[in-house]
Amino acid sequence: MINVPDDPIGRLPDAWRFCVGTGRFELALRRDYQDSLALVQKDIGFRYIRGHGLLSDGVGVYRPHEYGVRYAFTYVDQVVDAYLGLGIRPFVELGFMPYDLASGDQTVFWWQGNVTPPRSWTGWAELVKATVAHLVDRYGLDEVRQWPIEVWNEPNLAPFWQDADRDAYHRLYEVTAHAVKEVDAELLVGGPALSPGAGDWMARFADFVEDRQVPINFVSCHAYSSGPAQHVPFGTHQTLAPATKLLDQFAEPRATLAGTALAGLPVHITEFNSSYRPDNPIHDTAFHAAYLAPVLAGGGDHVDSFSYWTFSDMFEEVGIPTALFHGGFGLLTHRQLKKPTYHLYAFMARLGGEALARGDDHLVTRHPDGRLAVLAWAPVDVEGTAVGPGDGHRVRLSVPLAGAADAFVARAHVGEDAGNAYAVWCAMGRPLSPRTREIEVLREAAEPVRRYERLPVADGRVTLDLALGRHEVTLVEVSAVVDETPPWWSDSHLLGRGDE
Amino acid sequence: MINVPDDPIGRLPDAWRFCVGTGRFELALRRDYQDSLALVQKDIGFRYIRGHGLLSDGVGVYRPHEYGVRYAFTYVDQVVDAYLGLGIRPFVELGFMPYDLASGDQTVFWWQGNVTPPRSWTGWAELVKATVAHLVDRYGLDEVRQWPIEVWNEPNLAPFWQDADRDAYHRLYEVTAHAVKEVDAELLVGGPALSPGAGDWMARFADFVEDRQVPINFVSCHAYSSGPAQHVPFGTHQTLAPATKLLDQFAEPRATLAGTALAGLPVHITEFNSSYRPDNPIHDTAFHAAYLAPVLAGGGDHVDSFSYWTFSDMFEEVGIPTALFHGGFGLLTHRQLKKPTYHLYAFMARLGGEALARGDDHLVTRHPDGRLAVLAWAPVDVEGTAVGPGDGHRVRLSVPLAGAADAFVARAHVGEDAGNAYAVWCAMGRPLSPRTREIEVLREAAEPVRRYERLPVADGRVTLDLALGRHEVTLVEVSAVVDETPPWWSDSHLLGRGDE
Amino acid sequence: MINVPDDPIGRLPDAWRFCVGTGRFELALRRDYQDSLALVQKDIGFRYIRGHGLLSDGVGVYRPHEYGVRYAFTYVDQVVDAYLGLGIRPFVELGFMPYDLASGDQTVFWWQGNVTPPRSWTGWAELVKATVAHLVDRYGLDEVRQWPIEVWNEPNLAPFWQDADRDAYHRLYEVTAHAVKEVDAELLVGGPALSPGAGDWMARFADFVEDRQVPINFVSCHAYSSGPAQHVPFGTHQTLAPATKLLDQFAEPRATLAGTALAGLPVHITEFNSSYRPDNPIHDTAFHAAYLAPVLAGGGDHVDSFSYWTFSDMFEEVGIPTALFHGGFGLLTHRQLKKPTYHLYAFMARLGGEALARGDDHLVTRHPDGRLAVLAWAPVDVEGTAVGPGDGHRVRLSVPLAGAADAFVARAHVGEDAGNAYAVWCAMGRPLSPRTREIEVLREAAEPVRRYERLPVADGRVTLDLALGRHEVTLVEVSAVVDETPPWWSDSHLLGRGDE
Amino acid sequence: MINVPDDPIGRLPDAWRFCVGTGRFELALRRDYQDSLALVQKDIGFRYIRGHGLLSDGVGVYRPHEYGVRYAFTYVDQVVDAYLGLGIRPFVELGFMPYDLASGDQTVFWWQGNVTPPRSWTGWAELVKATVAHLVDRYGLDEVRQWPIEVWNEPNLAPFWQDADRDAYHRLYEVTAHAVKEVDAELLVGGPALSPGAGDWMARFADFVEDRQVPINFVSCHAYSSGPAQHVPFGTHQTLAPATKLLDQFAEPRATLAGTALAGLPVHITEFNSSYRPDNPIHDTAFHAAYLAPVLAGGGDHVDSFSYWTFSDMFEEVGIPTALFHGGFGLLTHRQLKKPTYHLYAFMARLGGEALARGDDHLVTRHPDGRLAVLAWAPVDVEGTAVGPGDGHRVRLSVPLAGAADAFVARAHVGEDAGNAYAVWCAMGRPLSPRTREIEVLREAAEPVRRYERLPVADGRVTLDLALGRHEVTLVEVSAVVDETPPWWSDSHLLGRGDE
């Protein structure tokens, strides 16, 4: 039994909800995307959203013609209007290269983002300035000063930046940062958006920025915990390291930058997930929520944000999904079925601002009005199996609750047997294209299972004895009962027979 | 184990969903009312709606002035427009008496419906004709010919019709029926809307109608199964007869009318419920759903319709409710919390058109595409208690399912421990006016608990072994699995470790 | 030609939009009401809403029973939740008297608000405290401290307060103010909500409050400009004083209170309109908008707010309306047809924060981005006729516009021939209950007529030469053109024939 | 003055609204697209929708893998679900070729639809069968039997079908038609979807189909009236033939097929417009509505349908639009601004089913309830200019109206000075990316101008003397007045002064 103290150990950091990832920019034009994001914002409420492709040809910004260049923001405006309307701001990623400005033909992804340096650095700088200036003009300087602007994506990997050419990236960063600041000196610019395990790149980037006195407001990198890929048609399997590896990756930038001129800058993990593959079914499982629970609970110790990659399966890097469940990154599938990891985030969003206790399997918080909200989870075994029955886990907590004789306890959970649409879809026979009726069944199946009870408060404390199923993540909300039952009330009268 | 046959025993009659009751007419102007009705129509889909007060002063139709009478349909149109927009038609009840046309001061209900005969029979006939003609003009004759028009409500009770004066009612019926038919001969008119146990009234009414050759297209009466009332502040407790009593009441009109000129007319139970009191908490309980399950399953044997009184707690006959749960008739509380009886209806709405078997605790049906839908319930003890723990019940069925090796079985249930917002509200301390956050908790708590499994089909049969909790009503949907799992798939690969 | 200066003469006060009136409290439960208010909030954006009947029996708050009193907030919560959800706050009016707490039978209005003093002053104080404490509990102290709380309505008139008994009102005010402050000392309480022409009452009230040191945070009274009533069935006609009479009434409280202890308190005109009758068709006319235009433009000179009585025709003081247009107070009719006065308010809501000029027929304002918004109106003749053709009016303004060669000028207007659904309804034959198709025609007819042009800017000035039709109110928006026409563009090519 | 007869000359054919065109298939996933289509369906109500790209790679249906082929309907289902939800059915076009099934690399459009024959005819047949069978499985045979299935698009043009190879198309048609019929013999299949002026192709196609006894249920071709293109950056200008050329093109197929085995088959013009360029600003003008008015009025004489290409500017054949108005085909721009041609369609949708008269500048119709609806237009000069001021036109009609002393006449019109958002956008300075506020101004500017009057009926006739502005299209609705003005009413009393 863990005795949770009355006094908080600190604020619960907001880093887990600062930002979320998305498929490429123009996917945001879609209805299912916007409906999905609306749902996410209602239940979770991220502050920023980041994805690739703002400057790629699918958005159509860079439009040379015989007399010059037209910068066209037809789709940019539609997307950003939608974002702001949904209460979320862009975390701007500048990339990839417009075909007409590119120096080469190399592309990444099914949708063919060009990843070569600009053929004209001036042309690139003009494009950046035109884009940022347009945003400022349309949305106002006060607004856009709140949007981090990140230069490119994972330049340390050859598929994302031709030859993973470090000098070329440094030049790109420098040109871009100056272009941004030319629009307004208080705009926020940063990078280098490195993939995991690129500590040397980060150090060299820090040197470069310091040497050349290049503007920088934040640093960014990514975190993933998966091992080598085994491919099957329309799918990929990978081993996973323990979730602590993600926390280790979160901690790296600050460690690397300690003592450099970049020490003290905000650090954003602008992408993280278990597997970096959008066709790895692990993302769909109950295992995945339990696996990430300690990461969400503890990640804020290390960074200013860590951004789940991505909120929706509406994502086309390896092509158009061929089945409803296909291992996409999404918290939601197409048509907005909630995966267990969605609920992990939704549970986090119901926690209070004060942290009272944190352990390997729990996080206890309190709201300003005294209500408690507890997140608990069953630790996972990455050497085991990701689906199916197995042992449970028990969490026993004595939690403080003032001023009441009884507590009302509402518990919601997901796990192998609850809120697990993927498992139900498997039981259905894994229909590639479920019928409308089946989608409705899956929608119902995706909801957490809830139960309610009234527990006694003894000496200002409530005992929570939580039996967790395999891969369970559970939210327990504890509030003081104010009993308004009238004195004349007796349940025994309900069928007209009095108190006998 | 019950062996459900392959061949249907008949169609499942639609009588249970033909009509539903509502609070007085002008309550339909309210947003919560309309939102509630929209929800009901989505999940249940009643065809007609019937309530009191169309001609009472709160609707403002009858408006004498110094030069004559103006008939004003400002609110009538708003309500009927809303009904038709929600896919439900009025089952028109003509009553009560406008104050300016009334012969006396006697009123019924908190909202003071005048229940005295008209001071001018001509004035009444003109009012009826003006009202019906207006409906025909606005909605078209094809439409209004589908709306049953019922004359008054429970004239055999003195509170609803001054002195329960039979001759006066007969005159009212005659004048009204002729007035309706004067507008159009094919409009449907009927009565006498008797309260339970008024067999003699029915017989005398039949004689009267036959003797005078008064037009009549249907007969109507009511059914309730509660005993004497014990009052507490803001509440009433009553004993209940077994649910079979309701079926007996349903059967009475046809028995009474056999051999009369009215034999063979459609019979509508235009109100039914357990208790006739809108402040009896039995309506809020899980008991209530289990109590009524056999009535819904079997009522269609006896009548053309039986109309649950009422779809919503938005109802003010004994005043404005003082607590969220207050024993109202509603399938829904204010703010649209679903009661267990709501789910009973919603489960009925998911049954198939063919009945395969019916018993004391089950009803097995099939859809055109071969899917099965089974309603099962735990029989109740009206001598016992209405809430709290207790014994369960077991239903074992062997059901036919063609053309598949496996069945996908989805089960949803409500009962003492599931989908029981009332019980959760009690655990909360029975807050009279729950906060928004508490209402959301109750909304979640009001959902059925669902589970899913895959069962083998052996010899074209699936065995359903259903353990039901106390006061449980359960819906089991059984469909054939078409397995699209690709040949390369293995769950054991999910964590990257293959088949070892 | 009026030469509007470059520099502002001051801020445009917000008093016109601080508050709006409403029919009795429980009407806010209706869908049409809420839809209407949503429309009003989108186009106008009032900050507060005030109406009668919070404590009357239709809301059901005061519920004595054999063991005491239950305070029931079922409907209060539904209404206030809806208000806050629509972005508007209650301007709380405490009244009228619950029947069970009343000392007499006198009522006001068709809906029978009891206007007698409490039979128990303690009971009244407890009711006030319970109500205010409930609001604080549900909505939070920070929120409720922003809600003015007004004691009763027009106690100086015998129909609204038995015998117009001044001493009894003083006692009511004192008991109530203390009860409110007992809940929280920073809550805002005020009165005496006098009808026009009650200067002596105001002075005596000031003396009383000062003598007894009763808490008071604001003073309130009403303003109407109509003369004696001539009744016809379902209607009333009255002469109107010139609109300046309303401004004079606004100015009275400050004049009366100068030198008293109440000098300097906020003054709220908690009701104003031309006629105080909800069945005077003048409210429906184009005349009415032009009549009130100078009141909205200038009222903020005199008071902190003046609240149009009322936003919607959903109002039942003299009974249920018998026709779509019936002379109701509403900015909107039932079913949300916009009256010309609605557009006057919507035009006001598009004005800028800086006032540049104000005259008898115009108000020129500027937005922060330099755009101008001009309200102009044709002065009316209260000795003339309220409908039909007649002379127009001309307004010529030279307005400043910096930094552009051209101005884009958008003009919207209502008047006898534009945005005048009432006139179109008259042309239709004044149908009491228009069909759906006719309502749609009226909805279209209720929109302002708009036109657009491009005008030259000369020496930083644009000349607006506005010909106004009879009873016209017009909004002119003037913005600088930034011409993005590409150099290769020529309209003469559109049909493929080039520049010949 | 034209004397319109009392008796109808026939039914108004529905060919104008049978079908509408759309940008490529997956654009239907977008929110703006779906919102636009919802608006179109509310105001116009097309029955079918047809566009390219169902089988192209952006939809992702054809997915070969190492063990075979997976047919993936993830996006197909999302789109078709949306269509049916909006009350519109697919007019299925089978094309273009999936990259993995193509025999060559040739593509068409910015979005690169592959236009080469299949590398495997069996593979193509399997793809067609799988697709059609999936649609039947998901939507039901009764539904899909109503969807015309068209084979490819404009095979007579080399950009759309490699080398415009006729024999290859005949083979494609044959293989495809048989594949469709293999799924169900009653499905509707047709072609050859020819571009204008391909009479010989049609004749040869008829021969081929007859010779080989290939199934065919309808024939299809296209119609456009523009001349050679002059390009400017982001735009194209073309001459236009008189609109009668379109009617001539409509008439061609029946003429060509007379006497062949295909005579008597339904003929669908599956695309028509003035210019075939999606960057020709003529589409945005008032001229365009007036130009097409006689085509819509008369096209049904010649064909079973003629489908406007396309309902929305959400269309990317020549790339992503760089400005709000860019000469797109759409009835609506991005963000749903209505173009004048939209209103032409919306006016058509308000006409009655009986045609009473048709002329060069008018079409008079009657509804079942006796109301008249008149479409009138100002004839255009294709040798003149497409925008700007100019002469008007006068239409004088004597129309029959029974049973009333007065007529209520509602008129709505668009033209150079009314409902012309393009002209207002030009006056604004042609902003490429208008701000939100400017879009709202344009939205208001896009509405027709409306006026209302009451006219006398003399000898059962109303005289409509219609002065039309340049490029005006006008809808006049004439209904009988039923005057409900009460006898006591007088407008002269409105200001309280009586009848003096």
Side-chain angles (χ1 to χ4, degrees), chain B residues 31 63 70 74-75 138 316 320-322 434, chain C residues 29 31 63 70 74-75 138 316 320-322 434:
Chain B
R31 156 158 257 134
R63 309 299 285 275
R70 174 177 282 187
T74 304
Y75 286 176
R138 186 175 181 87
E316 297 178 345
I320 293 161
T322 62
Chain C
L29 297 170
R31 158 158 258 135
R63 310 298 286 274
R70 175 177 281 188
T74 303
Y75 287 176
R138 186 174 181 86
E316 297 178 345
I320 293 161
T322 61

mmCIF file of all heavy atoms in Angstrom, chain B residues 31 63 70 74-75 138 316 320-322 434, chain C residues 29 31 63 70 74-75 138 316 320-322 434:
data_model
loop_
_atom_site.group_PDB
_atom_site.id
_atom_site.type_symbol
_atom_site.label_atom_id
_atom_site.label_comp_id
_atom_site.label_asym_id
_atom_site.label_seq_id
_atom_site.Cartn_x
_atom_site.Cartn_y
_atom_site.Cartn_z
ATOM 1 N N ARG B 31 -35.762 23.192 -26.208
ATOM 2 C CA ARG B 31 -34.573 22.613 -26.854
ATOM 3 C C ARG B 31 -34.247 21.234 -26.282
ATOM 4 O O ARG B 31 -33.948 20.310 -27.018
ATOM 5 C CB ARG B 31 -33.377 23.543 -26.663
ATOM 6 C CG ARG B 31 -32.055 22.837 -26.752
ATOM 7 C CD ARG B 31 -30.936 23.802 -27.105
ATOM 8 N NE ARG B 31 -30.605 23.649 -28.490
ATOM 9 C CZ ARG B 31 -30.415 24.614 -29.364
ATOM 10 N NH1 ARG B 31 -30.519 25.854 -28.994
ATOM 11 N NH2 ARG B 31 -30.122 24.347 -30.614
ATOM 12 N N ARG B 63 -58.948 32.050 -29.572
ATOM 13 C CA ARG B 63 -58.722 33.440 -29.180
ATOM 14 C C ARG B 63 -59.906 34.327 -29.544
ATOM 15 O O ARG B 63 -59.892 35.028 -30.561
ATOM 16 C CB ARG B 63 -57.444 33.948 -29.836
ATOM 17 C CG ARG B 63 -56.239 33.035 -29.637
ATOM 18 C CD ARG B 63 -55.890 32.861 -28.177
ATOM 19 N NE ARG B 63 -55.256 34.042 -27.707
ATOM 20 C CZ ARG B 63 -53.935 34.277 -27.847
ATOM 21 N NH1 ARG B 63 -53.167 33.366 -28.436
ATOM 22 N NH2 ARG B 63 -53.417 35.371 -27.401
ATOM 23 N N ARG B 70 -60.451 34.312 -33.331
ATOM 24 C CA ARG B 70 -59.285 34.026 -34.157
ATOM 25 C C ARG B 70 -58.691 32.691 -33.674
ATOM 26 O O ARG B 70 -58.535 32.474 -32.483
ATOM 27 C CB ARG B 70 -58.254 35.140 -34.003
ATOM 28 C CG ARG B 70 -56.945 34.853 -34.725
ATOM 29 C CD ARG B 70 -55.960 36.016 -34.614
ATOM 30 N NE ARG B 70 -56.293 37.097 -35.537
ATOM 31 C CZ ARG B 70 -55.521 38.173 -35.744
ATOM 32 N NH1 ARG B 70 -54.391 38.307 -35.069
ATOM 33 N NH2 ARG B 70 -55.888 39.107 -36.595
ATOM 34 N N THR B 74 -49.722 29.637 -34.011
ATOM 35 C CA THR B 74 -48.310 30.001 -33.877
ATOM 36 C C THR B 74 -47.487 28.855 -33.278
ATOM 37 O O THR B 74 -46.464 28.450 -33.839
ATOM 38 C CB THR B 74 -48.200 31.251 -32.979
ATOM 39 O OG1 THR B 74 -49.005 32.284 -33.551
ATOM 40 C CG2 THR B 74 -46.764 31.714 -32.883
ATOM 41 N N TYR B 75 -47.913 28.339 -32.153
ATOM 42 C CA TYR B 75 -47.151 27.282 -31.483
ATOM 43 C C TYR B 75 -47.459 25.910 -32.077
ATOM 44 O O TYR B 75 -46.587 25.047 -32.132
ATOM 45 C CB TYR B 75 -47.436 27.280 -29.980
ATOM 46 C CG TYR B 75 -46.792 28.419 -29.228
ATOM 47 C CD1 TYR B 75 -47.019 28.596 -27.865
ATOM 48 C CD2 TYR B 75 -45.958 29.345 -29.867
ATOM 49 C CE1 TYR B 75 -46.436 29.632 -27.155
ATOM 50 C CE2 TYR B 75 -45.370 30.397 -29.162
ATOM 51 C CZ TYR B 75 -45.617 30.536 -27.801
ATOM 52 O OH TYR B 75 -45.051 31.567 -27.105
ATOM 53 N N ARG B 138 -51.838 23.086 -43.971
ATOM 54 C CA ARG B 138 -50.389 23.276 -43.845
ATOM 55 C C ARG B 138 -49.602 22.033 -44.218
ATOM 56 O O ARG B 138 -48.539 22.124 -44.825
ATOM 57 C CB ARG B 138 -50.050 23.675 -42.405
ATOM 58 C CG ARG B 138 -48.578 24.039 -42.231
ATOM 59 C CD ARG B 138 -48.272 24.549 -40.842
ATOM 60 N NE ARG B 138 -46.876 24.895 -40.736
ATOM 61 C CZ ARG B 138 -46.348 26.058 -41.055
ATOM 62 N NH1 ARG B 138 -47.108 27.026 -41.496
ATOM 63 N NH2 ARG B 138 -45.040 26.265 -40.950
ATOM 64 N N GLU B 316 -44.690 18.208 -16.765
ATOM 65 C CA GLU B 316 -44.921 19.064 -15.603
ATOM 66 C C GLU B 316 -46.288 18.859 -14.963
ATOM 67 O O GLU B 316 -46.850 19.793 -14.414
ATOM 68 C CB GLU B 316 -44.748 20.540 -15.997
ATOM 69 C CG GLU B 316 -43.346 20.893 -16.454
ATOM 70 C CD GLU B 316 -43.213 22.352 -16.888
ATOM 71 O OE1 GLU B 316 -44.264 22.988 -17.096
ATOM 72 O OE2 GLU B 316 -42.089 22.832 -17.005
ATOM 73 N N ILE B 320 -42.774 21.394 -11.512
ATOM 74 C CA ILE B 320 -41.437 21.334 -12.104
ATOM 75 C C ILE B 320 -40.574 20.433 -11.248
ATOM 76 O O ILE B 320 -40.523 20.588 -10.020
ATOM 77 C CB ILE B 320 -40.874 22.763 -12.189
ATOM 78 C CG1 ILE B 320 -41.716 23.555 -13.195
ATOM 79 C CG2 ILE B 320 -39.401 22.741 -12.583
ATOM 80 C CD1 ILE B 320 -41.585 25.023 -13.038
ATOM 81 N N PRO B 321 -39.905 19.496 -11.856
ATOM 82 C CA PRO B 321 -39.080 18.568 -11.079
ATOM 83 C C PRO B 321 -38.041 19.292 -10.227
ATOM 84 O O PRO B 321 -37.478 20.303 -10.649
ATOM 85 C CB PRO B 321 -38.402 17.723 -12.157
ATOM 86 C CG PRO B 321 -39.336 17.782 -13.331
ATOM 87 C CD PRO B 321 -39.920 19.159 -13.279
ATOM 88 N N THR B 322 -37.810 18.754 -9.054
ATOM 89 C CA THR B 322 -36.884 19.395 -8.120
ATOM 90 C C THR B 322 -35.537 18.698 -8.077
ATOM 91 O O THR B 322 -34.648 19.154 -7.359
ATOM 92 C CB THR B 322 -37.476 19.402 -6.695
ATOM 93 O OG1 THR B 322 -37.650 18.044 -6.279
ATOM 94 C CG2 THR B 322 -38.812 20.145 -6.661
ATOM 95 N N PRO B 434 -27.036 18.379 -10.339
ATOM 96 C CA PRO B 434 -25.627 18.015 -10.550
ATOM 97 C C PRO B 434 -24.904 19.075 -11.368
ATOM 98 O O PRO B 434 -25.489 19.743 -12.218
ATOM 99 C CB PRO B 434 -25.716 16.702 -11.337
ATOM 100 C CG PRO B 434 -27.088 16.192 -11.126
ATOM 101 C CD PRO B 434 -27.957 17.390 -10.892
ATOM 102 N N LEU C 29 -35.790 28.158 -22.166
ATOM 103 C CA LEU C 29 -35.662 26.714 -22.391
ATOM 104 C C LEU C 29 -36.003 26.338 -23.837
ATOM 105 O O LEU C 29 -35.728 25.223 -24.256
ATOM 106 C CB LEU C 29 -36.590 25.950 -21.441
ATOM 107 C CG LEU C 29 -36.292 26.113 -19.951
ATOM 108 C CD1 LEU C 29 -37.419 25.504 -19.121
ATOM 109 C CD2 LEU C 29 -34.961 25.455 -19.602
ATOM 110 N N ARG C 31 -36.232 26.045 -27.913
ATOM 111 C CA ARG C 31 -35.247 25.943 -29.004
ATOM 112 C C ARG C 31 -35.209 27.214 -29.855
ATOM 113 O O ARG C 31 -34.151 27.722 -30.175
ATOM 114 C CB ARG C 31 -35.580 24.751 -29.896
ATOM 115 C CG ARG C 31 -34.995 24.865 -31.291
ATOM 116 C CD ARG C 31 -34.865 23.511 -31.952
ATOM 117 N NE ARG C 31 -33.493 23.104 -31.869
ATOM 118 C CZ ARG C 31 -33.047 21.913 -31.526
ATOM 119 N NH1 ARG C 31 -33.894 20.972 -31.221
ATOM 120 N NH2 ARG C 31 -31.781 21.651 -31.477
ATOM 121 N N ARG C 63 -39.907 25.633 -3.126
ATOM 122 C CA ARG C 63 -40.746 24.446 -3.046
ATOM 123 C C ARG C 63 -40.918 23.971 -1.604
ATOM 124 O O ARG C 63 -40.216 23.056 -1.144
ATOM 125 C CB ARG C 63 -40.128 23.333 -3.902
ATOM 126 C CG ARG C 63 -39.776 23.775 -5.312
ATOM 127 C CD ARG C 63 -41.001 24.217 -6.096
ATOM 128 N NE ARG C 63 -41.762 23.070 -6.469
ATOM 129 C CZ ARG C 63 -41.525 22.353 -7.569
ATOM 130 N NH1 ARG C 63 -40.571 22.738 -8.413
ATOM 131 N NH2 ARG C 63 -42.239 21.307 -7.840
ATOM 132 N N ARG C 70 -37.530 23.095 -0.098
ATOM 133 C CA ARG C 70 -36.488 22.698 -1.037
ATOM 134 C C ARG C 70 -36.342 23.805 -2.090
ATOM 135 O O ARG C 70 -37.340 24.291 -2.613
ATOM 136 C CB ARG C 70 -36.867 21.384 -1.714
ATOM 137 C CG ARG C 70 -35.898 20.953 -2.803
ATOM 138 C CD ARG C 70 -36.277 19.604 -3.400
ATOM 139 N NE ARG C 70 -35.863 18.502 -2.535
ATOM 140 C CZ ARG C 70 -35.935 17.203 -2.882
ATOM 141 N NH1 ARG C 70 -36.412 16.864 -4.069
ATOM 142 N NH2 ARG C 70 -35.541 16.268 -2.061
ATOM 143 N N THR C 74 -33.536 23.136 -11.141
ATOM 144 C CA THR C 74 -33.582 22.345 -12.374
ATOM 145 C C THR C 74 -33.588 23.233 -13.614
ATOM 146 O O THR C 74 -32.768 23.069 -14.518
ATOM 147 C CB THR C 74 -34.849 21.466 -12.349
ATOM 148 O OG1 THR C 74 -34.825 20.660 -11.165
ATOM 149 C CG2 THR C 74 -34.899 20.563 -13.579
ATOM 150 N N TYR C 75 -34.507 24.169 -13.672
ATOM 151 C CA TYR C 75 -34.619 25.020 -14.857
ATOM 152 C C TYR C 75 -33.617 26.171 -14.818
ATOM 153 O O TYR C 75 -33.125 26.612 -15.852
ATOM 154 C CB TYR C 75 -36.036 25.561 -14.997
ATOM 155 C CG TYR C 75 -37.054 24.533 -15.452
ATOM 156 C CD1 TYR C 75 -38.402 24.851 -15.544
ATOM 157 C CD2 TYR C 75 -36.667 23.242 -15.808
ATOM 158 C CE1 TYR C 75 -39.344 23.923 -15.972
ATOM 159 C CE2 TYR C 75 -37.607 22.304 -16.227
ATOM 160 C CZ TYR C 75 -38.941 22.648 -16.300
ATOM 161 O OH TYR C 75 -39.880 21.726 -16.716
ATOM 162 N N ARG C 138 -22.337 26.833 -8.402
ATOM 163 C CA ARG C 138 -22.307 26.185 -9.712
ATOM 164 C C ARG C 138 -21.390 26.897 -10.692
ATOM 165 O O ARG C 138 -20.721 26.259 -11.498
ATOM 166 C CB ARG C 138 -23.724 26.141 -10.302
ATOM 167 C CG ARG C 138 -23.788 25.342 -11.602
ATOM 168 C CD ARG C 138 -25.206 25.167 -12.112
ATOM 169 N NE ARG C 138 -25.225 24.395 -13.330
ATOM 170 C CZ ARG C 138 -25.263 23.081 -13.406
ATOM 171 N NH1 ARG C 138 -25.325 22.362 -12.308
ATOM 172 N NH2 ARG C 138 -25.227 22.472 -14.576
ATOM 173 N N GLU C 316 -44.439 36.430 -23.678
ATOM 174 C CA GLU C 316 -45.858 36.099 -23.541
ATOM 175 C C GLU C 316 -46.594 36.962 -22.526
ATOM 176 O O GLU C 316 -47.531 36.488 -21.890
ATOM 177 C CB GLU C 316 -46.016 34.610 -23.177
ATOM 178 C CG GLU C 316 -45.503 33.657 -24.227
ATOM 179 C CD GLU C 316 -45.624 32.186 -23.811
ATOM 180 O OE1 GLU C 316 -45.834 31.936 -22.607
ATOM 181 O OE2 GLU C 316 -45.502 31.316 -24.684
ATOM 182 N N ILE C 320 -50.149 34.430 -25.942
ATOM 183 C CA ILE C 320 -49.396 33.819 -27.019
ATOM 184 C C ILE C 320 -49.724 34.555 -28.309
ATOM 185 O O ILE C 320 -50.899 34.765 -28.621
ATOM 186 C CB ILE C 320 -49.750 32.331 -27.105
ATOM 187 C CG1 ILE C 320 -49.232 31.638 -25.838
ATOM 188 C CG2 ILE C 320 -49.161 31.691 -28.359
ATOM 189 C CD1 ILE C 320 -49.869 30.319 -25.568
ATOM 190 N N PRO C 321 -48.702 34.970 -29.041
ATOM 191 C CA PRO C 321 -48.946 35.719 -30.280
ATOM 192 C C PRO C 321 -49.834 34.943 -31.238
ATOM 193 O O PRO C 321 -49.730 33.723 -31.368
ATOM 194 C CB PRO C 321 -47.550 35.910 -30.851
ATOM 195 C CG PRO C 321 -46.653 35.879 -29.655
ATOM 196 C CD PRO C 321 -47.285 34.865 -28.737
ATOM 197 N N THR C 322 -50.688 35.677 -31.934
ATOM 198 C CA THR C 322 -51.636 35.037 -32.852
ATOM 199 C C THR C 322 -51.209 35.181 -34.307
ATOM 200 O O THR C 322 -51.890 34.671 -35.190
ATOM 201 C CB THR C 322 -53.039 35.655 -32.689
ATOM 202 O OG1 THR C 322 -52.960 37.047 -33.015
ATOM 203 C CG2 THR C 322 -53.560 35.462 -31.269
ATOM 204 N N PRO C 434 -47.669 31.753 -41.628
ATOM 205 C CA PRO C 434 -47.117 31.515 -42.967
ATOM 206 C C PRO C 434 -46.645 30.076 -43.112
ATOM 207 O O PRO C 434 -46.178 29.452 -42.152
ATOM 208 C CB PRO C 434 -45.930 32.485 -43.044
ATOM 209 C CG PRO C 434 -46.174 33.495 -41.980
ATOM 210 C CD PRO C 434 -46.952 32.795 -40.909
#
